[in-house]
Amino acid sequence: MYPYLITCIESPDHLFIAASAIVQQLQQAKQHLRLQDELLRLDKYNLLIVDDVGYVRKTEQETSVLFELIAHRYERHSMIITSNKSFEQWDELFDDSTMTIAAIDRLVHHATILHCEGESYRRKMAMSNGS
């Protein structure tokens, strides 16, 4: 693992979380009418790293809480989002194209975008271990 990523994971003002986990967490809060409270609780993290957004299922409930998170943190706190999908493919994530555009707009404003191409590191390691 990279040292800078370990620092982020272990720091009390940073949170590294899988997209599916944070979406479930936010959905539960919404069901209990505590979504705003949960979003405010996440404000204690100056940096929120949401991993594998491309694997969030495309249901209105899931994408709406993901959008709420993005909109809530916009221009307030930093986010890093990893995805196996390019922005052109984000219509596959969000149920509504207007929501897709709005989410991308908020994410790219003031952003540094890192685009990585190549063979998957995990796949490469699995292949080398299996040989």
Side-chain angles (χ1 to χ4, degrees):
M1 189 170 277
Y2 299 102
Y4 66 88
L5 188 55
I6 291 171
T7 302
C8 290
I9 292 169
E10 294 177 353
S11 176
D13 68 341
H14 297 69
L15 176 65
F16 179 91
I17 189 166
S20 58
I22 198 161
V23 163
Q24 287 177 355
Q25 183 177 324
L26 293 173
Q27 280 183 296
Q28 282 185 332
K30 187 174 184 177
Q31 288 172 351
H32 293 100
L33 305 176
R34 294 183 303 101
L35 180 58
Q36 191 61 33
D37 293 339
E38 185 63 20
L39 292 171
L40 290 171
R41 188 189 70 76
L42 291 169
D43 282 351
K44 72 180 179 183
Y45 301 107
N46 289 324
L47 175 62
L48 181 63
I49 305 166
V50 181
D51 190 36
D52 287 336
V53 168
Y55 293 108
V56 172
R57 289 191 306 262
K58 186 180 176 179
T59 67
E60 191 276 328
Q61 294 84 11
E62 290 174 322
T63 57
S64 71
V65 294
L66 180 59
F67 177 79
E68 289 290 332
L69 174 65
I70 292 167
H72 177 80
R73 291 189 69 89
Y74 174 62
E75 291 194 328
R76 297 177 66 183
H77 299 286
S78 298
M79 284 183 77
I80 295 175
I81 292 184
T82 68
S83 179
N84 63 335
K85 298 189 184 299
S86 65
F87 286 129
E88 291 82 19
Q89 298 172 301
W90 274 40
D91 270 334
E92 297 171 17
L93 299 178
F94 289 93
D95 196 38
D96 178 321
S97 63
T98 303
M99 191 182 296
T100 305
I101 293 166
I104 292 170
D105 184 57
R106 284 165 175 79
L107 289 172
V108 302
H109 189 228
H110 307 299
T112 299
I113 299 170
L114 303 176
H115 179 82
C116 302
E117 289 187 29
E119 186 177 356
S120 162
Y121 175 78
R122 292 179 188 122
R123 182 170 183 240
K124 184 178 179 179
M125 293 307 295
M127 297 297 279
S128 68
N129 291 336
S131 300

